[in-house]
Amino acid sequence: MTSSSIDTSALEQIFSTCKLGHSIRFLPQIDSTNEEIRRGFSEGFPEGTVIIADCQTQGRGRQGRSWHSEAKAGLYISTLLKPQLPPDRLSCITLMAGVATASAIQQQTSAPIRLKWPNDILLNGKKLAGILCECLVEPDTTPAIIVGIGINLNHSHFPEEIRDIATSLKVETGKIISHTDLARQLLQNMNSEYEDFLQGKLTSLMQKWTQQSDLFGKTITVYHKDRSLTGQAIGLDLHGKLILQTPDGIQEHLDSGEVSFNSG
Ligand code: BTN
């Protein structure tokens, strides 16, 4: 009898012959599922190993932020990818994971999920989920990517500092979502999106991402390091870069940054 929030052996059976999810390790508590994959990479974890935790003590977000990881309230999941592709293709993996995650939540809940470049998943304008991709480079091996996904499911409240910007499926829909059902849908989508990605179906990926976002046609400001750039969001290029048209007509292709919507 397990008190974990997720039935990983059922998932392992479903994904036993798939690229992602053939081996799923569940941990009641860990510092970070991304960190656990990083440790396992050095020990030879194969591609597609999945780590799921009920609780993270040092969950990581983008740009050095932490990820609030209340026990059993969220889905905290990481997987290891080893695509044999040139490094300039790897930046699309965040968008691929975003499409897989947004679609999985939508399929399970019918909630109006939206994507915000590059890694945010929003519900009713608040952050519901996030993706953290980290690159692992070791001498004489092809680079590997850790894909970490955090989804706020059953939180009733959030710490003061993120209360205004974060939300959960329970807060927004009033429903308790099954970790196992959502993880199954997510791994199914990740397998299919990753297969398409490896086959080079980047136009289709960018189309799917664009359809699930409200970004394009809007005036936005992108903050990156100590620079900010305002303009109209035009689209994504095939490297997953955001194309921003500035008021002087120049189209900038941005590879990272923090987007904020301008009012008016
Ligand atoms: C972000 O939006 O800033 C990214 C959040 C990513 C959080 C997930 S939870 C599972 C995995 N392990 C981590 O430490 N971070 C990612």
Side-chain angles (χ1 to χ4, degrees), residues 31-35 51 56 58-63 65-69 75-78 119-121 127 129-134 146-151:
D31 48 358
S32 151
T33 53
N34 271 27
E35 200 50 43
I51 304 284
Q56 298 184 114
Q58 292 171 57
R60 289 204 291 266
R62 264 180 84 238
Q63 304 194 324
R65 290 192 281 255
S66 61
W67 184 256
H68 176 63
S69 306
L75 181 62
Y76 315 116
I77 179 168
S78 299
N119 75 317
D120 289 349
I121 291 161
K127 183 142 170 170
I131 317 284
L132 177 66
C133 290
E134 297 178 289
I146 307 169
V147 183
I149 302 170
I151 308 175

